[in-house]
């Protein structure tokens, strides 16, 4: 099998995330890392490889600035076989529509010699958090989309997944090739082992530009984004609330008083 | 006036509240047309409901041939409807509920229509010059962002509770629309579907009051449910509680669960990790009960009780029930 797993490089959620003066996400000034939710995608790709056998390749694919290569490296350390980093100044500020175009072209290029059977994504990026790129990729590649999977089963080229929909729990079935996205319910992601970290240094890691993908600089980036952020405002800090210690039932009374004062009772 | 397409959010023909919120927003932008993708024999009933909130037209796309498939057929149907509206009186925007499915439909539609997409809007206002201007809450609720679409027909997914539904009688003219769905769109099949059991409590994302429990419950959600019921609220949970198998994932609040923005959010036995905050930080009033006075959740609260939830919650519930009389 040939598996491509899409991994995004995102600002650390526990750090102070910010915007640039052009209202794009600051991806340089803040420490970044492989999006935690994409670790689950890497994990599932690796489990599928382990199940399918040794001729399966897992390629980690990331579109992002210079530093984003760290996300690819982490995936290689976890066990992916090859890495592809698409980097080009023109990509900066791209919205989901443009990002999905670059990703789709990169998947096509990755499959030029050997057909890609599975494109595995995380459920959502932890910065933009749109949860749309997998569906967009499926649309662009003309492949079935099997998204938000919590349990994944394969048999030959058949894929069945379980997912928790908004109003129902569903089983979705489709035939490879397809685009799969997995949730954080799919199972803990492995940590890179020392051996994995050493091995990753020798794994193939390619850098592609827009030119390599046949994507024009006028098709991506901030200047052609189909959406425009007008303004960003930091949320005003919440004013410190009243905190009481419960002593022999006083907490419950105080809580009821507060709720009554706000007319919730 | 240009049309605004609103995708009706429903479960087997039962219209869900976000539909009315979307119609209310649609009226600000143009002439609302509800798009019902569902069983043709439920269309009349749906039309009755949506016309009360201003739907001038109700497009009915019979889903008999497509309901067994995921997302893609809906995107095709909407594309064809959008092109029709575009060629007739013009199309001002497409509004879609910000559910997991809604966002995926919107994503595919954006590519088909070559139009800009904004997801998870918490407000949409009309601007004569710019078109719809959206407000979003990003980075775990730490920033508010306003944005607009600069290409094509604005496609906007809107979060529940983003507007108060306003009644406004529309014509509600039913128009059947025969969408052509390609075979390529019928590739991801819904093999089985188990509808969620009703809890008898308000829908989590729509509830005005949410009481949630975390690891601190130790697996006993009775005190949480008791307080929720006394307040007429919904029950939520942290991921730690879900991962422990104490409560189903559908009740999880946070980055990888639901986002709620109720009038009152009560977090009990929850520490307040950034990923949890992401799902509740925009709540109007926040209350916490936690036995650790250092718990980060207390940074967010309007009112906090440092104490054991197993004693505080039942006592508060009793007190509330007493006051209600
Ligand atoms: C990628 C990713 C996504 C995530 N998504 C989510 C998400 O969507 N939602 C989410 O909630 N988390 C999410 N998490 C997990 C999050 O980081 C925290 O681990 C989780 O929120 C902790 O849950 P908790 O507060 O219930 O447990 P803990 O952090 O263990 O806190 C338990 C609290 O209960 C208190 N307590 C204990 N006993 C009592 C008692 N008897 N009475 C009162 N208080 C008591 C303790 O003082 C403590 O503050 C995510 C994490 C990652 C990495
Ligand atoms: N720049 C990117 N590079 C690689 N993968 C990405 C990128 N952006 C999004 N993805 C993939 O798409 C998923 C959903 O992203 P999003 O739609 O932005 O929430 C992520 O979990 C990734 O798997």
């Amino acid at each position: 099998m040939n598996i491509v797993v899409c991994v995004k490089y995102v600002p650390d959620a526990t750090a102070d995330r910010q915007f640039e003066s052009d209202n794009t996400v600051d991806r340089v000034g803040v420490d970044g890392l492989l999006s935690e939710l994409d670790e689950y995608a890497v994990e599932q790709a690796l489990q599928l490889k382990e199940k399918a056998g040794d001729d399966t390749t897992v390629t980690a694919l990331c579109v992002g600035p210079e530093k984003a290569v760290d996300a690819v490296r982490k995936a290689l350390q976890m066990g992916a076989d090859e890495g592809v980093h698409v980097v080009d100044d023109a990509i900066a500020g791209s919205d989901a529509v443009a990002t999905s175009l670059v990703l789709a072209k990169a998947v096509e290029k990755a499959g030029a010699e050997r057909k890609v059977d599975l494109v595995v994504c995380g459920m959502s990026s932890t910065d933009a958090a749109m949860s749309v790129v997998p569906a967009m990729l499926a649309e662009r590649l003309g492949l079935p989309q099997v998204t938000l999977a919590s349990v994944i089963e394969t048999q030959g080229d058949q894929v069945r997944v379980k997912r928790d929909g908004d109003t129902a729990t569903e089983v979705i079935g489709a035939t490879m090739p397809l685009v799969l996205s997995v949730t954080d319910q799919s199972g803990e992601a492995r940590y890179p082992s020392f051996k994995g970290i050493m091995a990753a240094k020798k794994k193939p890691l390619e850098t592609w530009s827009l030119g390599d993908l046949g994507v024009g600089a006028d098709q991506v980036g901030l200047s052609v984004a189909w959406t425009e952020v007008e303004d960003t405002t930091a949320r005003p800090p919440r004013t410190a609330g009243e905190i009481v210690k419960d002593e022999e039932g006083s907490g419950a009374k105080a809580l009821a008083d507060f709720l009554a004062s706000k007319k919730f009772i | 006036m240009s049309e605004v397409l609103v995708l009706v959010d429903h479960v087997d023909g039962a219209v869900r509240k976000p539909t009315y919120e979307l119609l209310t927003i649609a009226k600000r932008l143009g002439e609302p047309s509800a798009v019902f993708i569902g069983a043709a024999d439920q269309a009349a009933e749906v039309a009755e409901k949506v016309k009360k909130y201003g739907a001038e037209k109700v497009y009915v796309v019979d889903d008999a041939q497509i309901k067994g498939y995921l997302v893609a057929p809906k995107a095709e149907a909407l594309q064809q409807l959008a092109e029709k509206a575009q060629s007739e009186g013009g199309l001002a925007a497409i509004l879609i509920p910000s559910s997991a499915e809604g966002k995926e439909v919107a994503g595919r539609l954006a590519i088909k229509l070559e139009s800009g997409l904004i997801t998870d809007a918490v407000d949409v206002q009309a601007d004569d010059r710019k078109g719809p201007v959206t407000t979003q809450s990003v980075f775990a609720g730490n920033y508010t962002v306003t944005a607009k679409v600069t290409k094509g027909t604005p496609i906007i997914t809107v979060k529940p509770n983003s507007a108060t539904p306003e009644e406004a009688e529309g014509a509600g003219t039913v128009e059947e629309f025969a969408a052509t769905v390609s075979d390529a769109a019928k590739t991801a099949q819904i093999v089985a579907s188990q509808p969620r059991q009703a809890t008898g409590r308000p829908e989590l994302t729509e509830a005005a009051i949410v009481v949630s429990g975390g690891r601190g419950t130790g697996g006993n959600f009775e005190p949480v449910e008791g307080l929720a019921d006394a307040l007429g609220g919904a029950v939520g949970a942290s991921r730690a509680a879900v991962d422990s198998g104490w409560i189903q994932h559908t009740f999880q609040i946070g980055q990888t669960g639901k986002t709620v923005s109720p009038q009152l959010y009560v977090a009990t036995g929850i520490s307040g990790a950034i990923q949890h905050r992401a799902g509740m930080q925009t709540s109007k009033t926040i209350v916490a009960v936690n036995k650790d006075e250092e718990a980060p959740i207390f940074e967010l609260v309007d009112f906090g009780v440092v104490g054991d939830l197993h004693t505080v919650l039942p006592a508060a519930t009793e007190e509330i029930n007493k006051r209600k009389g």
Side-chain angles (χ1 to χ4, degrees):
Chain A
M1 255 202 301
N2 192 8
I3 304 177
V4 173
V5 49
C6 298
V7 293
K8 191 175 183 185
Y9 179 79
V10 297
D12 188 350
T14 55
D16 212 1
R17 291 179 290 185
Q18 292 171 8
F19 288 95
E20 302 257 29
S21 54
D22 64 357
N23 289 336
T24 60
V25 174
D26 182 352
R27 295 183 193 282
V28 182
V30 181
D31 279 344
L33 74 184
L34 164 63
S35 171
E36 276 168 314
L37 291 172
D38 293 346
E39 289 183 12
Y40 295 92
V42 176
E43 176 61 36
Q44 289 307 314
L46 294 175
Q47 286 188 19
L48 288 167
K49 174 187 159 100
E50 283 154 9
K51 200 182 140 203
D54 275 346
D55 73 322
T56 298
T57 352
V58 174
T59 304
L61 166 65
C62 176
V63 174
E66 295 293 338
K67 277 167 77 176
V69 71
D70 285 357
V72 183
R73 286 219 178 89
K74 173 85 182 273
L76 293 175
Q77 291 171 351
M78 287 173 73
D81 303 292
E82 293 172 20
V84 172
H85 178 206
V86 183
V87 53
D88 200 304
D89 288 345
I91 297 174
S94 290
D95 57 9
V97 177
T99 303
S100 70
L101 172 69
V102 179
L103 282 169
K105 292 290 179 193
V107 169
E108 278 168 6
K109 184 170 158 69
E113 275 163 36
R114 185 178 174 203
K115 186 184 80 169
V116 172
D117 302 287
L118 267 180
V119 180
V120 189
C121 293
M123 65 185 289
S124 165
S125 53
T126 55
D127 54 351
M130 292 179 78
S131 296
V132 294
V133 166
M136 286 177 162
L137 264 177
E139 173 76 32
R140 291 194 183 276
L141 295 166
L143 297 180
Q145 69 159 86
V146 178
T147 45
L148 302 173
S150 57
V151 181
I152 298 117
E153 281 164 16
T154 56
Q155 198 160 49
D157 62 355
Q158 298 299 305
V159 178
R160 286 226 160 167
V161 310
K162 186 178 148 239
R163 72 167 191 172
D164 275 322
D166 287 328
T167 54
T169 299
E170 295 166 329
V171 178
I172 311 294
T175 309
M176 286 187 228
L178 55 81
V179 177
L180 172 73
S181 83
V182 307
T183 73
D184 61 337
Q185 299 286 304
S186 59
E188 277 310 305
R190 66 194 66 185
Y191 288 104
S193 63
F194 179 70
K195 215 174 116 208
I197 293 170
M198 296 316 286
K201 294 185 176 150
K202 296 195 204 77
K203 289 178 178 171
L205 200 172
E206 290 190 32
T207 309
W208 296 347
S209 66
L210 286 181
D212 295 328
L213 302 178
V215 176
D218 55 350
Q219 290 176 277
V220 296
L222 185 60
S223 57
V224 294
W226 297 353
T227 50
E228 187 180 317
V229 171
E230 301 226 295
D231 196 24
T232 65
T233 336
R235 191 186 167 75
R238 291 190 85 104
T239 39
E242 186 191 348
I243 293 169
V244 302
K245 270 211 172 85
D246 178 48
E247 266 147 26
E248 289 162 31
S250 66
K253 276 215 172 51
L255 177 55
D257 286 344
F258 174 80
L259 294 175
S261 77
K262 294 280 182 184
K263 311 246 179 310
F264 289 119
I265 306 175
Chain B
M1 219 195 318
S2 298
E3 273 182 79
V4 179
L5 296 181
V6 170
L7 182 61
V8 174
D9 186 2
H10 70 96
V11 182
D12 291 330
V15 179
R16 299 172 84 202
K17 187 166 156 254
T19 308
Y20 307 128
E21 297 165 4
L22 263 59
L23 286 166
T24 301
I25 291 174
K27 269 191 82 76
R28 300 175 192 157
L29 309 174
E31 212 160 82
S33 297
V35 180
F36 173 62
I37 304 180
D41 60 357
Q42 291 163 341
E45 208 180 309
V46 169
E48 274 314 304
K49 297 222 165 90
V50 295
K51 75 187 265 197
K52 287 206 182 70
Y53 291 88
E56 295 298 336
K57 278 190 202 157
V58 184
Y59 293 114
V60 176
V61 180
D62 185 2
D63 73 351
Q65 304 299 319
I66 57 176
K67 68 168 177 240
Y69 303 95
L70 219 59
V71 189
K74 290 188 179 168
E76 283 192 352
L78 276 174
Q79 173 190 17
Q80 291 157 25
L81 265 170
E83 281 163 359
K84 170 181 134 74
Q86 199 74 272
S87 67
E88 290 171 3
L91 181 60
I94 303 173
L95 303 181
I96 296 177
S98 231
S99 57
E101 183 187 81
K103 291 207 276 187
E104 293 186 346
V105 169
R108 301 187 76 123
L109 190 59
I111 288 173
K112 287 178 190 293
L113 295 176
E114 301 201 352
S115 291
L117 163 68
I118 290 174
T119 55
D120 295 326
V122 295
D123 191 20
V124 186
Q125 293 295 336
D127 183 301
D128 287 344
R129 207 164 36 84
K130 302 177 192 160
V133 175
T134 62
T135 305
Q136 292 159 288
S137 171
V138 305
F139 288 169
N142 286 334
Y143 276 86
T144 303
V145 165
T146 55
K148 63 172 193 251
V149 166
T150 50
K151 181 164 185 239
T153 304
I155 303 172
I156 302 168
T157 78
V158 184
K159 289 218 145 204
N161 278 335
S162 296
T164 312
E166 284 163 21
E167 292 200 21
E169 197 71 18
T173 317
V174 174
E175 213 175 286
E176 264 153 51
F177 184 80
T180 346
V181 175
S182 69
D183 286 340
K186 297 188 194 165
T187 49
Q189 212 177 341
I190 303 169
V191 182
S193 178
Q194 176 99 49
R196 194 135 296 130
Q197 288 159 299
T199 58
R201 298 194 178 95
E203 183 76 34
L204 193 51
T205 49
E206 297 171 7
I209 296 179
V210 175
V211 183
S212 61
R215 200 191 308 275
T217 61
N220 178 9
F221 262 71
E222 261 171 51
V224 178
E225 290 165 351
L227 182 60
D229 291 341
L231 293 168
V235 170
S238 72
R239 186 171 116 174
V242 172
D243 285 352
S244 304
W246 300 337
I247 186 164
Q248 283 182 333
H249 178 251
T250 37
F251 296 100
Q252 182 178 316
I253 290 168
Q255 187 188 349
T256 55
K258 302 230 154 66
T259 318
V260 298
S261 195
Q263 297 300 319
L264 172 66
Y265 186 84
V266 186
T268 71
I270 291 178
S271 61
I274 178 92
Q275 294 91 350
H276 187 77
R277 288 180 183 210
M280 48 67 71
Q281 188 150 230
T282 56
S283 304
K284 308 294 172 301
T285 299
I286 298 176
V287 169
V289 179
N290 194 306
K291 68 177 185 190
D292 173 11
E293 62 182 322
E294 304 284 321
I297 190 80
F298 284 126
E299 292 162 18
L300 294 183
V301 300
D302 298 285
F303 189 81
V305 180
V306 180
D308 189 331
L309 73 90
H310 297 288
T311 54
V312 175
L313 298 195
T317 304
E318 202 188 313
E319 182 71 26
I320 290 163
N321 285 333
K322 206 161 69 194
R323 292 192 195 190
K324 284 198 303 193

